[in-house]
Each structure stands twice: as structure tokens, then as C-alpha cells.
DNA sequence: GCCGAACCGTAACGTACGGTACGGCTTGCC
DNA sequence: GGCAAGCCGTACCGTACGTTACGGTTCGGC
């Protein structure tokens, strides 16, 4: 019913060495934030700056490649809507919620979103688009089929899958991401994440379960 | 029932000239993003860099003062819980939701949040704390009394005001803020904001309206 | 073994920008 | 008028960092 599915590899033709360099850049980004310098990346990756410039063009190119490299590694649960019943729907929704909370509260995601937000402020918003595409929009692409399957199975009732998804998103994420991005300490234990995922799922079902749908919505 | 209430002025002893300088810095921040330079601020404000440094210490001080200056200008609806009935509760919630959506989708808020997020990544998260305190936490401080009043009046049913607030927050904001911060075009007309505010309020009530059962005082 | 390509390490260059110094101008006060 | 304080405009300094250049080294192909 719910399974991790490897996706088409969007990382176009990266050598192992290049991947190692991007991993180093990524670690540096997580550790030191946006002020990672070309020199630091070169030192950490044990490569020359000349190589960095040859491979990635300039600092922006390196940053973009790094973000894409990490993004290509993010995998969210994928579901198969066959034979859906309420129990498995709930389980899948909780899994989605839990996965998403884990992602957005991870150091890597925070660092990447920070640099993308900074970047969006100044000039081309390349990074922001990449992060969105591999984060929020990827999640939507995975979740919507489940919602549609739930509707087909008569378990859910909604007019628009996009709207339903956004409500689910809001119920799950609430203020977590913005608080983390703004530096608020907000430790999310696995237990807390599990509880939040269950709560969000219940609330979502209370709003969109077909037989139980509140009148006048 | 719902009114704009001026708050204690947290902007400690700023001269008119200083306010004008901060306004200039703010405009520059909105227009040009985080790469606003001391030179640019001085030119825009028609003052000397020396004055900037004397007044605000250093670049961080200027940034902090600017953020606080704008924060001191943000006013969110304040409510009076007396004589609360369902109609006025709904109106107040919608007003809160609408105000909040307008705030987070404003150019100023986006610019401020961007610079605060960038800043949180590198070093002291001063700005992040200020933005949170005057944004999300200020909203909570205003909204919770209304929720409590709703509970007292037997209209709402929840265990914890904080949890109820965060759910409301999630239903209202959903993915709007992170998408805007990441540079996603997402035009929010006044009509759309009004619709979203109404939807979020309805959903919130569906989750937290007490079951016709008069709540034991 | 030889050649060229790729790459490492590092030095050097150019520039942008934070921060400082200083001369001149205005303003308020005696 | 004269003085002092505050401020403007600008030139200047130091440094950090992106970017380039280059000599030395490794390595695959012949």
C-alpha cells in the first residue's frame, strides 16, 4: 500500500568525484550556513578552486548544483491506491505527515531552505524554485493520487485535490517550518512527530471524510 | 467586539530624523533585498555613513533597528471577548485570518522575513527572534484570548489554547509563507484572501466548535 | 616510457563593502 | 558675531572573497 519508490535520477551525469564534492559542499552548507566560501568548499572537498569553477561555472552554479544534488536525494513515500480502505488511508496519511515533518525539521532542509530564501531575495530565484519543486510540489504530486484514490473509494469528499492537499499541508506543518527557518529552537522528537502526524491526519479526516463531513462547508 | 488597539511604543526614543532613516532603510530592504549596503542606505536617507555608525553601531545594529522599527508599526486586530456569540466569533476569526494573510503576503513582510532567515543562518539569530516575536507570537498573544473567550462562552471546545492556535495558524497560512519566501509568484487578491479567511475559519470551527452541548461554564 | 589532459595547491588580482577620518556646512545658543 | 555640536559628503583603509593564473603532479591511452 505504501512504499518507497526510487525515482528517475534527475542528477544529470555527475561523476562520483563531483558527487563527493557536492556532498562536501552540502555538509559545509549545513554546518556553516550561507557564508560558505569557494575556498572552504575546495579545502573541504580536497579539490582545487579551478576545478570548482570548471565544473560549476561560478559560485551560483555550485550552490544550485548542491541544492539540486540534495534535492535529488530526497524521497518521500509513494503510495499505491489499490484496495484502499480507511485503515490504510489513515496509515498512509500519517506516514506522509511524519515524513514531511522529518524532512522540514532536518538540518539539511533548514540549511537548504535558508540559502534558497536568501537567494530568492537577491536576483534570480533559481534555488527557490528548485527547493519548492523538490519539496512542497513533489509532496503534492505524491499525495494527490492518494487523496484521489480515497475519493474514488468513497472515503474522502472534496471538490479540489489541490485545496485538500493544501489544507493537509497546513494541518501538518502549521508554524514549524517558518519557526525553524527563523532560528527558533523547536526540538521535534520522533515521538512528537508521530503525535503531530496522527493529530493532523485525524483533523484532516474530520474535515474531509465523506460520511462525516460537516454540513455547510 | 474587534478593534485596532495601539500598543505600547517599543521604539525607544527615536528622533524623527532617525525614523526617516529607518524608513529609507526599510524601503531599500524591500526593493533590493538583503544586499543593501551602508552606502546605499546613507545615500537614500541623505545622511552620512558616519551618522549611521554613530546611531546604530554597525550594520547589524542598523538591520536590527530597521526590523524593530517596522515591527513596531505592525498592528494586528485586538479583540474584546465580552458578549461573544457565534456570529461575532466567526467575524473575529475571519478578521484575524485576513489580517494575517495580508501581513505575510506584503512585500515588507517578505523582505523582513527573508533577511531574518538569512541572518538566522549565520551567527546570532537576533533578527529571527524579533520577527517571530512581532509576527507569529504577537498573533498568538492576540488570538488566544479570543479562543479562550470562545471556550468560556461554550462556543469552542479544545484542551489547549496553544494547540488550537497552531491549528488555526496552519489552516490560515498553509503553504503561503514558505512559497512567497522562496520566490514563488502567488498573487493574493483581496478577494482571494477573504475567501481563504472564511474557509480557514469554517474549517477551524468544524474542528473545534463545541457539540451544541453547553460547556460547563 | 611518453604525451596530453585533468586536477591539485596556492599565489595573485580585482573589487565590493564595512568601517573610519576629516573638512566644511548648518544650527542653536550665548 | 562667535562658538560648539551635530551632521553631510567624500575620500580613504583594510579585508574578505570571487575569480583567474600557473607550476607541479597524477593518470589513462598508445
Amino acid at each position: 500500500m505504501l512504499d518507497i519508490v526510487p525515482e528517475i535520477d534527475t542528477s544529470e551525469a555527475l561523476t562520483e568525484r563531483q558527487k563527493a564534492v557536492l556532498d562536501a559542499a552540502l555538509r559545509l552548507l549545513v554546518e556553516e550556513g550561507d557564508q560558505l566560501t569557494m575556498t572552504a568548499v575546495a579545502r573541504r572537498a580536497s579539490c582545487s578552486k579551478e576545478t570548482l569553477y570548471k565544473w560549476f561555472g561560478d559560485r551560483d552554479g555550485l550552490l544550485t548544483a548542491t541544492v539540486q544534488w540534495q534535492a535529488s536525494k530526497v524521497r518521500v513515500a509513494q503510495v499505491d491506491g489499490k484496495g484502499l480502505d480507511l485503515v490504510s488511508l489513515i496509515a498512509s496519511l500519517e506516514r506522509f505527515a511524519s515524513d514531511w515533518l522529518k524532512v522540514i525539521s532536518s538540518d539539511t532542509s533548514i540549511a537548504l531552505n535558508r540559502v534558497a530564501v536568501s537567494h530568492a531575495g537577491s536576483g534570480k530565484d533559481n534555488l527557490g524554485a528548485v527547493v519548492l519543486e523538490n519539496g512542497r510540489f513533489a509532496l503534492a504530486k505524491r499525495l494527490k493520487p492518494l487523496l484521489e484514490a480515497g475519493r474514488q473509494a468513497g472515503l474522502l469528499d472534496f471538490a479540489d485535490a489541490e485545496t485538500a492537499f493544501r489544507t493537509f499541508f497546513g494541518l501538518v506543518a502549521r508554524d514549524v517550518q517558518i519557526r525553524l527557518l527563523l532560528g527558533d529552537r523547536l526540538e521535534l522528537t520522533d515521538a512528537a512527530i508521530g503525535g503531530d502526524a496522527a493529530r493532523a491526519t485525524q483533523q484532516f479526516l474530520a474535515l474531509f471524510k465523506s460520511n462525516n463531513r460537516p454540513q455547510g462547508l
Side-chain angles (χ1 to χ4, degrees), chain A:
Chain A
M1 183 58 52
L2 185 148
D3 206 3
I4 303 290
V5 178
E7 214 178 32
I8 310 98
D9 196 22
T10 57
S11 52
E12 78 283 355
L14 288 175
T15 69
E16 291 307 313
R17 182 77 181 103
Q18 286 171 330
K19 291 180 189 173
V21 169
L22 292 181
D23 273 328
L26 193 58
R27 256 178 293 130
L28 218 48
L29 204 63
V30 172
E31 291 170 19
E32 308 199 359
D34 196 7
Q35 91 282 17
L36 97 161
T37 68
M38 300 299 278
T39 303
V41 172
R43 190 168 43 231
R44 174 68 74 100
S46 295
C47 74
S48 72
K49 292 211 275 180
E50 186 182 21
T51 302
L52 291 183
Y53 283 99
K54 176 147 64 160
W55 284 349
F56 305 108
D58 56 4
R59 186 172 184 275
D60 253 31
L62 174 60
L63 233 45
T64 304
T66 304
V67 170
Q68 274 173 333
W69 167 234
Q70 165 61 21
S72 76
K73 293 198 285 188
V74 173
R75 292 285 100 93
V76 190
Q78 177 103 311
V79 299
D80 170 17
K82 282 196 176 64
L84 196 66
D85 61 8
L86 186 59
V87 172
S88 57
L89 175 64
I90 290 177
S92 295
L93 288 175
E94 284 191 14
R95 173 73 181 276
F96 267 104
S98 167
D99 280 1
W100 184 242
L101 283 171
K102 273 181 200 138
V103 166
I104 65 175
S105 63
S106 69
D107 287 347
T108 306
S109 165
I110 293 173
L112 253 53
N113 275 276
R114 283 216 181 111
V115 63
V117 166
S118 312
H119 207 264
S122 33
K124 11 182 211 119
D125 56 354
N126 208 348
L127 295 187
V130 171
V131 168
L132 271 180
E133 201 54 48
N134 292 279
R136 127 92 235 228
F137 290 118
L139 179 65
K141 224 173 300 179
R142 304 290 181 96
L143 186 51
K144 279 186 192 171
L146 177 66
L147 299 180
E148 295 286 5
R151 178 162 62 173
Q152 293 295 322
L155 300 170
L156 296 177
D157 183 16
F158 53 82
D160 177 28
E162 173 71 8
T163 305
F165 166 77
R166 293 183 74 192
T167 297
F168 185 72
F169 184 99
L171 287 170
V172 172
R174 298 188 294 182
D175 56 357
V176 170
Q177 195 165 18
I178 187 64
R179 283 173 71 174
L180 289 173
L181 288 184
L182 285 172
D184 195 11
R185 311 284 173 228
L186 185 66
E187 89 265 18
L188 283 179
T189 64
D190 281 357
I193 286 180
D196 281 345
R199 174 203 43 78
T201 300
Q202 292 201 354
Q203 290 177 329
F204 180 76
L205 286 176
L207 291 174
F208 291 102
K209 199 159 66 162
S210 63
N211 59 346
N212 197 17
R213 188 157 172 252
Q215 292 297 65
L217 266 184

